[in-house]
């Protein structure tokens, strides 16, 4: 920057106006002071002295400016410094305004989040004492009960401490218990119990009907009446089986009755069949209405055996 441009910028600056005013005041004062000439008031040294006292000593400019050869070079350097500071000030102001906009944006987002939070329902968490099936229990769980708008909610972890089957949440679905297979072999899976007058086959041996061997199912004992139960646990709607006369076991008839346990705790008949030695080998399917228990009974036989093979519970 040349002296002319520096001088123009300097003339606009308030600080230079103050300096100029001081210098002018000193000149005017010297005009009215006795025995002081105009030449004495405006020497280079006087101008440099004012720059030293009014700008260097207060720390407005660095004292190195006094090392410049002439007061005009000193003034030009002051102008340059002021322009640089003004540029720095403008840059800082732009940054401040930018930060202000960012803060306003953050504030608006925070207000929006706060409004959303106000709409949410608050839960009161607690860990009450436990009494399960009439027995007091100690729980190591914390905050397993939540109360929201008068409704009570229990944690999955807490429910699984005493429910017979596990409850879980996965892929937007609440599940209770494991997936029930489409069908299950009652004998092989050990679902037949309280058996009397029947032999249960679970795969380790077999009985023969219509010249075909079967290694899962039941066969009635000779010279006996029989009964057995099947645990269905409310999971299955139908039961299928293969029925027939056991080869080389006699020729007397035997009656089979299949019943399911209803909601009132009474057995209701769902299938009745009088077996005979020349009956065909048939696949039978009967409804069991998602009962907990199926019961099969057989009348007394006189040395003749009949069987139910491949007994399946069907979903």
């Amino acid at each position: 920057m040349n002296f002319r441009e520096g001088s123009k910028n300097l003339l606009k600056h308030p600080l230079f106006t103050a300096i100029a005013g001081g210098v002018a005041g000193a000149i005017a004062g010297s005009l009215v002071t006795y025995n002081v000439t105009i030449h004495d008031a405006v020497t280079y040294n006087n101008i440099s002295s004012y720059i030293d006292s009014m700008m260097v000593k207060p720390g407005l400019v660095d004292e190195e400016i006094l090392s410049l050869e002439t007061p005009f070079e000193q003034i030009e350097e002051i102008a340059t410094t002021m322009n640089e500071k003004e540029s720095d000030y403008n840059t800082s102001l732009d940054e401040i305004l930018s930060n202000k906009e960012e803060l306003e944006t953050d504030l608006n987002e925070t207000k929006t989040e706060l409004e959303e939070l106000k709409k949410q329902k608050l839960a009161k968490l607690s860990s009450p004492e436990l009494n399960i099936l009439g027995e007091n229990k100690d729980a190591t769980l914390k905050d397993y009960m939540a109360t929201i708008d008068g409704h009570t909610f229990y944690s999955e972890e807490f429910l699984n401490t005493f429910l017979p089957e596990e409850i879980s949440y996965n892929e937007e679905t609440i599940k209770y218990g494991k997936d029930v297979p489409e069908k299950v072999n009652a004998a092989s899976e050990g679902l037949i119990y309280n058996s009397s007058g029947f032999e249960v086959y679970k795969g380790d041996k077999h009985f023969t009907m219509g010249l075909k061997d079967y290694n899962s199912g039941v066969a009635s004992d000779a010279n006996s009446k029989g009964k057995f139960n099947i645990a269905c646990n409310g999971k299955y709607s139908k039961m299928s089986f293969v029925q027939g006369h056991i080869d080389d076991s006699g020729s007397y008839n035997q009656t089979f009755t299949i019943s399911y346990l209803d909601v009132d705790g009474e057995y209701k008949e769902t299938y009745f069949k009088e077996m005979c030695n020349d009956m065909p080998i048939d696949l039978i399917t009967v409804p069991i209405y998602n009962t907990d228990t199926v019961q099969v009974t057989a009348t007394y036989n006189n040395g003749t055996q009949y069987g139910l093979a491949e007994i399946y519970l069907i979903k």
Side-chain angles (χ1 to χ4, degrees), residues 81-100:
T81 301
M82 288 181 176
N83 284 328
E84 290 174 352
K85 289 185 176 181
E86 183 178 11
S87 177
D88 292 342
Y89 169 78
N90 290 334
T91 300
S92 299
L93 182 60
D94 290 341
E95 292 178 356
I96 292 172
L97 292 175
S98 177
N99 292 336
K100 177 177 177 293

Side-chain angles (χ1 to χ4, degrees), residues 6 8 19 24 75 80 117 122 138 168 231 236 258 281 292 302:
K8 287 182 179 180
I19 298 172
I75 293 172
T80 300
L117 288 174
L122 298 179
D138 292 329
S168 62
Y236 301 96
I258 300 176
I281 306 301
D292 285 335
N302 191 10

Side-chain angles (χ1 to χ4, degrees), residues 218-254:
V218 296
S220 61
D221 294 341
N223 302 306
S224 175
K225 63 180 180 179
K227 181 178 74 172
F228 65 88
N229 291 349
I230 303 175
C232 304
N233 300 316
K235 298 177 179 179
Y236 301 96
S237 64
K238 294 179 292 185
M239 184 176 81
S240 71
F241 51 88
V242 175
Q243 66 180 17
H245 174 262
I246 294 180
D247 295 353
D248 303 322
S249 68
S251 59
Y252 287 93
N253 294 354
Q254 186 175 25

Side-chain angles (χ1 to χ4, degrees), residues 159-194:
L159 294 175
N160 287 336
T161 61
F162 63 88
L163 289 176
E165 299 282 350
E166 281 197 356
I167 190 170
S168 62
Y169 176 79
N170 185 30
E171 296 179 355
E172 306 298 325
T173 302
I174 296 175
K175 293 184 179 180
Y176 177 65
K178 296 180 180 179
D179 290 340
V180 177
E182 290 298 322
K183 67 177 186 178
V184 61
N185 189 305
S188 300
E189 295 298 321
L191 301 178
I192 296 176
Y193 66 101
N194 286 350

Side-chain angles (χ1 to χ4, degrees), residues 15-72:
L15 185 58
F16 178 77
T17 304
I19 298 172
V23 174
I27 294 171
S30 62
L31 290 174
V32 297
T33 302
Y34 183 71
N35 287 334
V36 177
T37 66
I38 294 177
H39 176 74
D40 293 333
V42 294
T43 64
Y44 284 170
N45 290 337
N46 279 348
I47 296 175
S48 294
S49 296
Y50 275 108
I51 291 174
D52 180 32
S53 63
M54 297 182 67
M55 302 195 72
V56 174
K57 285 186 169 57
L60 297 176
V61 295
D62 193 270
E63 65 178 353
E64 291 181 358
I65 199 171
L66 298 177
S67 65
L68 296 176
E69 185 174 350
T70 68
F72 297 106

